Each structure stands twice: as structure tokens, then as C-alpha cells.
Amino acid sequence: MTDTLLPQVADTSAGDAVVERLLETQAPQRRLTSPTFTVEVDGKQFTGREGQTILDICRDNGIDVPTLCYEPKLPGFGACRMCVVEVEGEEHPPISCSRAAEPDMVVHTQTTRLREIRKTNLELIFSDHNAYCLPPCQNKCPSHIDIPGFLKANTEGNFAESARIFKRTIPFPSVLGRVCPAPCEEHCRRDEVEEAIAIRDSHRYAGDQVLKAQAAGIKAPVPFEVQPKSGKRVAVIGSGPAGMSAAYYLLIAGHDVTIFERDSAPGGMLRYGIPQYRLPKVEVLEAEYQCVADLGGVMVTNAELGRDFTLDDLQNQGFDAVCVAIGCYETNKLGVPGEDADGVLDGLEYLRIATLGLPYPGHSGKRVVVIGGGFTSMDCTRTSVRQGAAEVTLVYRRDMKDMPASNEVHEAIEEGARAIFQAAPTRVVTDARNKVSGVEFQRMRLGEPDASGRRRPEPMAGTEFIIECDRVLLAIGQGPQLDWLDRGSDGVSATKNRRLAADAVTFTTGRPGVFGTGDVRIGAATVVQANAEGRRAAYAIDAYLQGQDLDAIKTRQTLAEPQPEFLNIVPYTGELKEPRYRLKAMPAEVRNKSYIEYEIPYSQTEAMAESKRCLQCTCEAIGYCDLRRQGIEYGTTLKTLEPQQSGAFSHRSVTENRFTGTNHDYIRDDSHAFILREPSRCIDCGRCANVCKEVVGAACYDFMRTGFDTLVTTPLDMSLNTTPCVSCGRCAETCPTGALMPKPRVLEKYEVDESRCILCGICVDACPYDALRCGPDFELSHTSREEPMIDLMAISSIDRDTEVSWIHKERDWLERARDQGRMIDTGRMLPLLPPGVVAGNGHGAGDGHTHASGNGHGASGNGHAMLEIGDGPSRSQPPAG
């Protein structure tokens, strides 16, 4: 039977030759190069290849054609219609991502007509793009605090995390929660729904929870990892908000910091310029300053620059850097006759005595006039009421809305003071003993806006009037005391405005290693501005101590930090109207008799509810969003921070998108472990759907619904967890906006259980970063994130089977089997190999049940049994990969 089925061939070499020729002959191959032709694009000649689209040729030659839906891995289909171009001889502009290029084609990519088409397309996209790029509140804050971030943590009840986020930019959330003027709230987009969020009061609650935890022995959270000790020493002069902020971040950077304070206790203007009823000193200020001591900061009190030491002394003592943050303590003069009279008092000196808990001599029962409109003037007014003044009058030369402390005016009036606006002093009226008997004022009219954006007050002739009084408190601004410049401070100078001369970016003075920050550099400012100055100065000092070139850093920062564009895309139409939770206060007739903190803080429920009102109008894709970039380029987006001079109280200039109507407000889906979905940011480009279907093969997304309601989403808007999603992240990688984003995670390494691997190869196909490769018998994977580099040379040296080596093994398997001592029954061999192989094939006798052992598949069977043992795989089981 064997003879009839397997005829003998005498000349086996001829059969081998045929086999070798069949093995070595290449199959027909696709040509390696395509025919080329010339195309003219924007007046220049370029070479294209057959099969390329117009967009392909433009991209190959660096010509920017905007597109939102183009995915290089897949054919273009023109969903966004942004890549339209003009082709000479054609009436309608074609879509360049799907239009094939032709020889001698003349293409224009930037014409007036094309820009109008693209602008219209973008307006249509923005009309239902219910999402924002940047929160204007965060930019308005001088410290650029991550306001959406800490409000979200508040909403989740994680107040320690909220404080930690806050401390990334300002170390003192409780202090700022009481004294910050909250400029962020002026530009809160929630105001477009009903009322702005109480941002200041919300972080005040989070900071207070940290202080309560500190009292129980739990240290305050640190925003960053504290760096190892650098061995560098820094002297910070001044313990106000700027100096302590600089010290805080320098300590985190690993430097040794010593703070020098001229007074007997740290705090600067926070301690001696803000009354107790606004900022409790022990319970809040000292408790929050403890975080600097916890990091190793050393405080030296009763040490004044110029009196007890000089800059020369500090540098001779071995300090590697000196940061001057002494603030502004010299009150400005009125410049009118009689201001040197008995009874004209320095407002700061008055507050200093009052904050120490001492009554100012002879103040009770007096008639007091306070001149100014800032926070110092308001503190003087309300403190005078508490110190028993018979009559307190606040006079400001501008309107109430232009006052820096306008939010406290109604509280001062409730407590018994009165306020007069648009009046400026012309002289101090005195009696024969040069004692104050009154102040003469002149009415002012508001003229054109000045550099600050406020309307300039102009005097009105013949409108003088006198307010009788016994004392005048001056609170019209302060300047720094710079007498110390005369001794031991060579190289450091003052500006013509009597401020310390220091660079606005690097904070360097004319003396190496000496930096200036805070009010001493910019003039009297708010506490939040001083904190911002201190933090930025700390970063500059840290770079200096590391030996970096500060001039180069200044150039990079200037180029990298242009004024951001704030985009108003659509109005909020579907937001639930929720009233703002306002802090309650003690009755005016009670609080005006004591220095007890009169505002009643939020409860936990109120703090969480108020934080929940945040619209989270920020996008993590801000740095790489194609839609934002093109919206700015084509002037489609609407700025929201432009002052509107015609509106008395408006800070916006919003022109509605002409296509805006009822817009969708989709729900954020963060149910998936790795991918965050923001459907409100989706522009229906279809890139995620195409990549998921054509590249990955999971097909989790598609165009759902019809017409205006069309959205690229999962079937029935289900969670990705219930789709065939393999968590590869390709959808988030290709998304041109922030509709799909990888969730932020911290991964050290993956644990791979190879015993459960079935060698399906899905992980290899799906991984967007080629971190996994197919091997001959198993997946070559990097289980550690420490060394993600792949040694391509080592991989290429692995001996792997090819098509040729595989067939060679099929030819000589019988010889190898016999050499290994395996028993082969030639009586039942089938003619599966060329007749040159005469000894038989690999089927043995048996009962037909397979028994595997070893690397191959062994068997004793009667028809489909495989090799019993062996090095190579069988034909019926090809290798993985």
C-alpha cells in the first residue's frame, strides 16, 4: 500500500532542486516607487507621487493646511471641511484630504474666500462646543491659582487636597481667605448664569480645616516633594506675605532659609496693618506661618535692615543669596496746606497700635476723617468706630465702584461710618494752636480713563466744602523705606518712583546675589499680589543658586508667556440656577464694639455646595488643542476679558456667535479607569471612531443620532466599560480637542501574569506607543517603567523562524525525528511532501487520542495525531507572532 501511495523516485536530487527553486523564487512584488508628477501650490512647484492627496503633498512640503478630522493612519473623509483648497479650473473648493492630486494641478491654500469658508466652518463648530479652554478667574488671580482644581477637591470633600492645590501657588489659604480682595470673582463665568462663585470663602474653609488638623498634630500638606538639602543659604529680609512666600518655596527647593524681621513678631503688614476682626493673629496668622517653621525656616526678629545689619554683612556671613522683601511702611503725603498740623495721623501707625490691642490715645469721642479708598483706609475707618470715635467719615476722590475696598463700604456704613465719594482734599483747616479743626474738600468729576482703567478725577471749581473734625487719618498709599541704601548696599539702587530697582522677571538688582520682591519693588499692593511676587522670586533665586543663566530664562519666559486668549464660545443655557452661599456675619451693632472675627464661616455642607457651583471651565487639552489654535488664527473665538467702557459694571465684551442657539450640555463621563470623556468638547470629527474601528478593531464609537443632535459617542451613550474597549488610548491620542483624554495616573510598572497569556496579540496591536512586541513564543514586554527603551539590536539577534526556515524544517523533520530516537511508523505515511522525501511522514499508530508533551504537540493516533515531541511547532499550530 505504501508503494502505491508513495512511488519511489530514483533521482532525489532533481526533486530537491525543484524544491529549492520554489523556495528561493520571490513572489510578485508591488513596485517600490510610484510615478511622480509636478504640482503648483501657492506659487511654488512641488513633486507629488501617484496616489497622494493634495493634503499629503502640502504636509510633505511644510505647507500648513488646517484640518481637524485628518488622521495620518487612515484615508481622509473631510468631516470638518477645514482643509478646503482652491484648484484653478474648478468652481467649488475641494477637500484636500480626500481629493487626489493630479499632474500640473495649480492649488491655492490661503485666499480670502478660503479663510471665510474656514471661519464659517469654525463658527458652526463653536456654536455647539459647550466648553471652555481657560478659566478667566485663574488668569485674573495675580498668583494664577488652580481655582477649578481646588474647588473640585472641595466638592469631593477632600479639603486637605484642596489646600495642597492652593499651596502650589500661595502657602496661606486661610490668610488669603480673609484678606484677599478676590479679583478672580470679577471674571467668574458663573456670573453669566446667576452669580459668581464665592472662591475666596471656599478656600478659606479648606484652609481652616487644615489648621484644625494642625491643632490635632497633623502637619499641613506640602504641595511639592521637598528636595534634598542643597547646602545653599538664603537670607530673606521681611516676614510679610512676599518674604514668607519666598522662604516657603525656597525651603521646598532644599535651601536653608533665614528670615529677618524688624519687629518683635513675624507677619509684617499682615500682623501690624490688618485689624484682628479681619485676620485673627494667633488662630490664623501664626498657625499658618507654622508651615514655614515645619520646613526648617529660621526666624530672626528685631533685626532691621540698615539699623542692625547691611547687605554687606549678610553676604560676608556666607549667605549665597539675599531676598529683600521689606514692604511699604512710609505713608504718602497729601501735598496740601496744613497737613503737618496736630491731629493729622499716619494711618499705618494708627493701625499698628490698634492691632496690638491698645486704644489710640485720645481717639475716643473724637470726630475722625479718613482720606483714601484702599484697604488701609477702610481698616482705619472701621477700627475708629470700634475705638469709640464720635463720628467717622471716609472720603474718596473717585466713585465707590472704583475703590479697591468697595466690597467693604456697605459693612462700614452698617457699623456707623459714613462715606463721601468724588471729593478730594484741598487743605487742612487748623485753629490758632495749629490743631486740626476740619478738612476742606473739592468736588470731582470723572473724566477719561487713566492707565489703571479707572476714570480720572478732575476738580470742579466752586464746589469746595468743609468737614469739621478733630483728627485726620491719612491712608492714600504707602511707599518703601529705602534709607538703608546709603550704607553697605553698593550696586542696589532705587527707581525714580522711590522703589527698589529689580527686574520684573528675574528679580535681580544691580548687585549679584541680591534680589528684590513684593511691595518694595512694585509699590503698595494687595496681599495676593505680594504672595505671587514672593513665589516667583523664589523660583528665580533657586535658578540662580543652581547656576542657571537668568538672562536666558528671562528671554524664554518672555517669549513663552504671552497674554492668553480667553474664549467665549457659547452662553450657558441649561445650567441650573443656584444662589450663591454667602457668609453670614454678626449684627453690625454687635460687631462694631469688639475685635472678634465677625464673619461666620461656612459649614462643610455649604462649602461643598458652593464649590459645586463651579462650571469647571478649563480644559486639560489647552496646550495642544487644534480647535483652539485655529479658532484664534481665524478670529472665530470671542474674547471675554476686554473692558467695556460703555457698561458701568461690565468687564466683558461678548458678541454672540451668529449660529448659536440651543446648545447641548452633555454629561462628563469619568467611569472608565483610563479614558476621560467630555462629550461637550466633541466636534464630531470622527477620528476616534475611525481609529477605534479600523486600527484597533474594537469599534467602540460611531456617529449616533441625526441632524443637529449628531454626536460621536458610544452606542446608547453607554460607558466605555460596557463596550469592547481595550483601554489602548488610541482614541484619546487622536482627539484634536479635549473630548477624549487619558486620565492622569502615576504608574511605576505593570505586573504581567504570563501564565494567563493566550498569545492573542491584542495588546501588541492596540498599544499606541509600541511598548510591546511579538516574539517567537511569547510577548516581549517591558514590565518596568524605569527603562522603557527597547534594544533593537538585541531583538534582531534573536534566532526566529522565517517562511523559508519553516519549510526547510518541514522537509527534514523525519531525519531529525529519527536522530532524536523517536519511533516513526512508515506504514501509514501520506504523500504530503515532494517525492524526494521517501521515508514517510509524521503520523504514527494509535487509538486516535492526542497526548502532548514537550514544546511541540505529540500524539499516537490514527489520522490527525501530531508529533509526539520535538523542537518545532506542527503545521496545524503556527507560532504566535
Side-chain angles (χ1 to χ4, degrees):
M1 182 177 178
T2 304
D3 294 339
T4 60
L5 290 176
L6 190 62
Q8 302 297 313
V9 179
D11 187 5
T12 59
S13 61
D16 290 343
V18 174
V19 173
E20 292 291 346
R21 180 167 54 82
L22 291 175
L23 293 176
E24 295 175 359
T25 302
Q26 286 190 348
Q29 301 292 318
R30 187 177 63 181
R31 60 191 176 197
L32 299 179
T33 59
S34 300
T36 61
F37 52 84
T38 302
V39 178
E40 180 180 317
V41 182
D42 293 340
K44 296 181 180 180
Q45 299 290 327
F46 299 103
T47 300
R49 296 187 303 275
E50 185 179 289
Q52 280 192 306
T53 64
I54 298 175
L55 182 61
D56 290 335
I57 295 176
C58 291
R59 289 199 163 209
D60 287 347
N61 294 278
I63 299 174
D64 182 32
V65 176
T67 179
L68 293 172
C69 67
Y70 178 69
E71 170 56 55
K73 304 180 184 71
L74 299 170
F77 64 106
C80 68
R81 307 190 69 84
M82 286 296 296
C83 64
V84 290
V85 295
E86 287 187 352
V87 177
E88 291 189 4
E90 298 188 12
E91 180 180 359
H92 301 291
I95 300 172
S96 63
C97 67
S98 58
R99 172 62 187 276
E102 300 173 359
D104 302 322
M105 181 180 278
V106 180
V107 179
H108 301 282
T109 65
Q110 297 291 339
T111 65
T112 302
R113 181 188 181 192
L114 291 176
R115 293 189 67 84
E116 286 300 318
I117 292 174
R118 292 167 183 164
K119 182 175 181 179
T120 300
N121 291 339
L122 285 169
E123 285 183 297
L124 288 167
I125 292 172
F126 279 129
S127 68
D128 193 33
H129 189 68
N130 193 8
Y132 287 92
C133 307
L134 281 175
C137 59
Q138 185 170 346
N139 182 74
K140 186 66 176 177
C141 173
S143 285
H144 305 311
I145 302 169
D146 181 8
I147 294 173
F150 78 71
L151 287 177
K152 182 179 179 181
N154 272 2
T155 302
E156 297 168 350
N158 192 347
F159 300 109
E161 175 63 13
S162 174
R164 189 193 66 81
I165 294 173
F166 193 93
K167 283 172 173 283
R168 291 195 300 225
T169 46
I170 293 181
F172 316 119
S174 284
V175 170
L176 269 294
R178 289 164 168 80
V179 302
C180 181
C184 52
E185 296 179 14
E186 297 177 12
H187 292 278
C188 175
R189 284 198 176 107
R190 186 75 199 194
D191 193 35
E192 299 176 22
V193 181
E194 71 288 278
E195 286 185 278
I197 297 168
I199 299 172
R200 173 187 58 202
D201 300 334
S202 297
H203 70 70
R204 168 181 172 170
Y205 181 84
D208 287 352
Q209 300 314 299
V210 171
L211 295 185
K212 291 179 180 178
Q214 280 185 221
I218 302 174
K219 290 189 177 181
V222 180
F224 310 110
E225 181 181 356
V226 179
Q227 299 301 307
K229 289 294 184 180
S230 65
K232 303 291 185 179
R233 300 175 61 208
V234 182
V236 175
I237 308 173
S239 65
M244 292 300 276
S245 290
Y248 183 78
Y249 294 106
L250 285 168
L251 287 165
I252 291 177
H255 309 301
D256 294 324
V257 179
T258 303
I259 304 107
F260 295 89
E261 168 58 44
R262 73 170 189 173
D263 292 309
S264 58
M269 196 66 72
L270 293 175
R271 179 178 290 273
Y272 298 105
I274 298 178
Q276 176 80 9
Y277 63 84
R278 282 184 62 202
L279 179 62
K281 302 304 181 287
V282 176
E283 301 87 345
V284 178
L285 179 62
E286 293 182 4
E288 204 145 53
Y289 266 23
Q290 183 61 36
C291 65
V292 177
D294 291 342
L295 290 172
V298 178
M299 180 67 64
V300 178
T301 56
N302 296 313
E304 182 177 356
L305 177 62
R307 182 192 69 189
D308 302 300
F309 60 89
T310 64
L311 296 181
D312 288 345
D313 296 334
L314 294 178
Q315 292 187 317
N316 290 335
Q317 291 172 16
F319 285 100
D320 300 284
V322 177
C323 178
V324 180
I326 58 175
C328 291
Y329 286 89
E330 195 169 279
T331 301
N332 296 334
K333 300 296 184 180
L334 286 174
V336 298
E339 66 175 325
D340 57 348
D342 184 11
V344 178
L345 307 178
D346 183 338
L348 285 181
E349 188 61 30
Y350 169 75
L351 286 177
R352 179 183 179 85
I353 294 176
T355 55
L356 292 174
L358 303 174
Y360 197 89
H363 206 67
S364 179
K366 294 291 194 298
R367 297 169 300 172
V368 180
V369 169
V370 181
I371 302 174
F375 293 99
T376 302
S377 65
M378 192 60 61
D379 291 339
C380 288
T381 301
R382 301 177 70 179
T383 300
S384 293
V385 172
R386 285 164 170 78
Q387 293 221 338
E391 183 180 286
V392 182
T393 305
L394 172 67
V395 185
Y396 181 53
R397 62 179 184 148
R398 301 181 192 263
D399 201 359
M400 185 183 77
K401 67 180 179 62
D402 295 321
M403 287 183 65
S406 59
N407 59 334
E408 290 189 57
V409 173
H410 67 283
E411 294 179 340
I413 294 175
E414 287 176 356
E415 292 170 0
R418 66 171 180 165
I420 298 176
F421 301 103
Q422 293 184 227
T426 56
R427 66 185 178 96
V428 176
V429 181
T430 59
D431 58 16
R433 297 175 298 171
N434 198 32
K435 285 185 173 291
V436 171
S437 60
V439 181
E440 183 184 77
F441 292 90
Q442 186 178 33
R443 288 290 181 184
M444 312 294 285
R445 69 162 65 92
L446 299 180
E448 295 299 317
D450 58 14
S452 67
R454 298 177 298 176
R455 298 175 66 184
R456 187 190 308 275
E458 299 173 350
M460 299 173 61
T463 59
E464 292 79 5
F465 65 96
I466 294 177
I467 299 177
E468 295 182 353
C469 63
D470 305 307
R471 284 186 172 171
V472 179
L473 295 179
L474 302 183
I476 57 173
Q478 305 89 36
Q481 296 174 343
L482 299 178
D483 300 340
W484 52 272
L485 289 175
D486 299 334
R487 184 170 63 90
S489 304
D490 294 342
V492 182
S493 60
T495 66
K496 62 180 180 180
N497 295 327
R498 290 292 298 167
R499 297 171 185 168
L500 185 65
D503 187 83
V505 176
T506 63
F507 300 91
T508 52
T509 62
R511 180 172 179 147
V514 177
F515 300 80
T517 187
D519 290 1
V520 70
R521 188 189 73 84
I522 61 175
T526 61
V527 175
V528 66
Q529 286 176 292
N531 274 285
E533 281 271 307
R535 187 192 77 253
R536 292 167 52 217
Y539 294 156
I541 296 171
D542 180 47
Y544 168 79
L545 295 176
Q546 293 180 25
Q548 299 183 27
D549 184 356
L550 294 184
D551 291 334
I553 292 176
K554 177 181 178 180
T555 302
R556 287 201 306 272
Q557 182 167 328
T558 303
L559 294 176
E561 293 187 0
Q563 181 65 23
E565 295 272 357
F566 289 87
L567 314 182
N568 192 6
I569 300 165
V570 294
Y572 289 99
T573 56
E575 289 294 332
L576 179 67
K577 303 297 187 292
E578 296 178 298
R580 170 171 171 155
Y581 288 83
R582 301 184 183 279
L583 289 185
K584 302 177 180 63
M586 297 167 57
E589 62 274 12
V590 175
R591 68 176 186 251
N592 64 2
K593 295 179 174 62
S594 73
Y595 289 95
I596 298 175
E597 188 175 19
Y598 66 92
E599 287 182 323
I600 302 172
Y602 284 144
S603 66
Q604 178 175 337
T605 301
E606 291 172 335
M608 294 174 65
E610 180 62 20
S611 300
K612 189 177 180 180
R613 295 178 62 238
C614 177
L615 297 171
Q616 292 293 316
C617 51
T618 182
C619 181
E620 295 84 348
I622 180 65
Y624 52 88
C625 177
D626 296 336
L627 179 63
R628 173 183 170 82
R629 176 177 56 82
Q630 293 180 21
I632 294 174
E633 178 181 353
Y634 287 91
T636 309
T637 51
L638 307 172
K639 302 176 182 178
T640 62
L641 288 186
E642 297 298 314
Q644 190 179 65
Q645 302 299 339
S646 58
F649 296 94
S650 176
H651 291 273
R652 296 179 176 84
S653 177
V654 177
T655 304
E656 293 292 342
N657 183 320
R658 55 181 168 151
F659 299 115
T660 295
T662 301
N663 59 284
H664 296 97
D665 189 11
Y666 299 106
I667 299 174
R668 175 188 181 112
D669 179 15
D670 59 356
S671 60
H672 196 271
F674 304 116
I675 298 171
L676 175 66
R677 297 173 59 216
E678 282 278 11
S680 292
R681 299 173 186 168
C682 180
I683 60 173
D684 295 338
C685 68
R687 285 169 66 169
C688 59
N690 286 336
V691 168
C692 189
K693 179 181 179 182
E694 303 296 337
V695 178
V696 180
C700 300
Y701 308 97
D702 208 338
F703 288 87
M704 301 295 171
R705 298 184 283 276
T706 59
F708 179 68
D709 296 325
T710 301
L711 179 69
V712 178
T713 183
T714 56
L716 301 178
D717 294 321
M718 65 178 64
S719 168
L720 276 177
N721 293 321
T722 55
T723 67
C725 177
V726 295
S727 303
C728 66
R730 288 276 179 104
C731 57
E733 180 189 25
T734 193
C735 181
T737 64
L740 293 167
M741 293 173 293
K743 278 188 176 179
R745 294 174 292 146
V746 178
L747 293 178
E748 294 183 357
K749 71 175 184 177
Y750 284 109
E751 295 293 339
V752 179
D753 186 356
E754 295 183 9
S755 66
R756 301 179 63 186
C757 179
I758 62 172
L759 306 181
C760 64
I762 291 178
C763 57
V764 177
D765 291 335
C767 181
Y769 304 108
D770 293 330
L772 299 168
R773 301 294 176 89
C774 280
D777 300 310
F778 54 87
E779 303 292 349
L780 291 177
S781 62
H782 289 268
T783 58
S784 173
R785 288 294 179 94
E786 296 177 356
E787 291 292 336
M789 296 179 293
I790 296 175
D791 190 345
L792 296 179
M793 295 302 295
I795 291 176
S796 64
S797 66
I798 296 176
D799 186 16
R800 296 177 177 174
D801 283 326
T802 65
E803 184 178 1
V804 175
S805 65
W806 184 270
I807 297 178
H808 272 295
K809 289 181 180 181
E810 288 288 292
R811 289 179 53 207
D812 61 2
W813 71 272
L814 184 58
E815 287 77 7
R816 289 186 288 106
R818 285 173 175 169
D819 293 341
Q820 295 172 5
R822 290 178 292 171
M823 299 305 296
I824 305 297
D825 182 5
T826 60
R828 299 183 63 84
M829 293 196 306
L830 295 177
L832 299 178
L833 292 179
V837 181
V838 296
N841 64 13
H843 291 265
D847 60 3
H849 294 280
T850 301
H851 303 281
S853 64
N855 294 334
H857 292 275
S860 60
N862 61 1
H864 296 285
M866 302 178 187
L867 298 180
E868 184 174 358
I869 53 174
D871 297 327
S874 73
R875 289 168 298 165
S876 62
Q877 181 68 31

